[in-house]
Amino acid sequence: MSGNDFFKVKKEGHIAWLILNRPEKRNSMNLECFSSLREIFPRFDKDPEVRVVVIQAEGQCFTGGLDLYDAATLIGADSADSREQLRKVILEMQESMNMIERCKKPVIAAAHGLCIGAGVDLLSACDIRVASKDALFSIRETKIAIIADLGTLQRLPTIIGHGWFRELALTGRNFTAAEALQMGFITHIADNQKELFAKAKKLAEEIAGNSPLAVQGAKEVILYSRDNGIYPGLEYVAQKNASTLPCDDVMEAFKAFMEKRPPEFKGK
């Protein structure tokens, strides 16, 4: 797999690595970044060899957030049609984050250094987040007179709860990797960038070793239950399992257990 000017994409077994590759600009997220996400994630969804996606970054930090120079081009004349065009662009940028969340394959984010503004939007759309101890996060938008509009305000409360979330969203202050771990935004802290990527790879390999049918089904049920509630979620998972069981992966799991060996799941 190849990437583009903003991203590099590489595959390693069943893991796809999506690498922010604009280090000279602190990986600030320009319009190309968002359009590329809308192209790349459907490819991950359709590729049967990809079971997990890991997002990481080149350079000194994960991302300095939205490229404000690029974003300034979106604010045109004070007219109804220009405001309508801006609304449509925001919706397209939101869809870039939505595609990360809706990706059938689990998505792990591995953040180091700065990860602010739109970077928190991106991480909030991922399934699992890990960071190096030098990581520094911020819902920065209130500091620059903007309302965060790419998903943080909608997704982050379900991850860390409203207490922490409202403080961070309204103050726009920085919060450290240690704080992020305490509040449950990230699940692991690594000492350095090398260990961070190794941890992300280990998590990805563990997930990729499970039945892709079960993993992808679990992610689908998790999102459905979050958005629709406990009882609709229970009905949904009952229907989901009834439609997929038995399957070859279940038979393989039973056979591997009897033969005392690791299962080899095919996603069938």
Side-chain angles (χ1 to χ4, degrees):
M1 276 187 171
S2 61
N4 52 37
D5 290 341
F6 192 94
F7 291 107
K8 289 192 297 186
V9 181
K10 65 178 184 179
K11 284 177 63 177
E12 185 179 3
H14 290 301
I15 304 170
W17 297 83
L18 179 63
I19 305 164
L20 281 69
N21 189 37
R22 201 188 184 203
E24 73 282 359
K25 297 290 187 180
R26 299 195 306 174
N27 295 315
S28 58
M29 299 167 70
N30 56 15
L31 296 180
E32 180 189 1
C33 166
F34 294 98
S35 62
S36 296
L37 287 170
R38 296 194 296 274
E39 295 171 4
I40 291 169
F41 271 89
R43 299 206 319 253
F44 290 155
D45 257 355
K46 294 175 183 177
D47 188 340
E49 292 300 311
V50 174
R51 296 187 182 180
V52 186
V53 179
V54 180
I55 304 178
Q56 65 178 84
E58 297 280 10
Q60 297 300 309
C61 69
F62 188 81
T63 179
L66 185 66
D67 185 328
L68 296 180
Y69 292 103
D70 209 29
T73 64
L74 301 176
I75 304 174
D78 185 17
S79 61
D81 60 334
S82 66
R83 289 193 291 272
E84 174 61 13
Q85 181 59 33
L86 177 58
R87 186 187 71 87
K88 291 179 179 178
V89 172
I90 292 171
L91 290 174
E92 289 178 349
M93 294 167 71
Q94 288 176 352
E95 186 61 14
S96 304
M97 302 293 112
N98 296 344
M99 285 189 171
I100 297 173
E101 181 176 69
R102 290 200 306 260
C103 181
K104 296 176 184 176
K105 321 300 171 68
V107 183
I108 300 170
H112 70 282
L114 282 178
C115 180
I116 63 176
V120 176
D121 290 308
L122 187 152
L123 263 63
S124 297
C126 295
D127 298 290
I128 300 170
R129 292 154 294 276
V130 294
S132 56
K133 65 182 181 182
D134 70 340
L136 199 65
F137 307 94
S138 172
I139 306 171
R140 187 61 59 89
E141 284 82 356
T142 51
K143 294 287 189 186
I144 56 173
I146 297 175
I147 302 169
D149 57 6
L150 301 184
T152 292
L153 301 186
Q154 291 72 32
R155 295 186 174 103
L156 193 53
T158 70
I159 299 170
I160 66 173
H162 274 275
W164 277 108
F165 164 71
R166 294 193 187 203
E167 176 187 325
L168 298 174
L170 299 177
T171 65
R173 72 170 178 85
N174 294 337
F175 58 103
T176 64
E179 287 182 286
L181 181 66
Q182 178 185 358
M183 65 183 69
F185 183 52
I186 63 173
T187 57
H188 298 277
I189 293 179
D191 284 337
N192 53 55
Q193 199 169 334
K194 181 179 179 181
E195 290 184 12
L196 171 67
F197 297 156
K199 180 62 180 179
K201 181 180 179 181
K202 183 178 179 181
L203 285 169
E205 288 175 338
E206 187 169 359
I207 294 170
N210 294 330
S211 165
L213 289 174
V215 168
Q216 293 169 32
K219 175 172 179 175
E220 187 178 344
V221 170
I222 288 167
L223 291 175
Y224 184 91
S225 301
R226 180 200 65 184
D227 296 338
N228 295 276
I230 293 174
Y231 292 104
L234 288 169
E235 291 186 15
Y236 185 78
V237 73
Q239 180 62 38
K240 187 81 174 171
N241 265 346
S243 66
T244 58
L245 296 177
C247 63
D248 290 352
D249 279 358
V250 169
M251 298 300 104
E252 167 62 12
F254 290 160
K255 186 178 179 181
F257 176 77
M258 298 298 293
E259 296 175 358
K260 296 181 171 57
R261 62 170 173 81
E264 296 181 8
F265 295 118
K266 305 297 185 183
K268 298 180 180 179

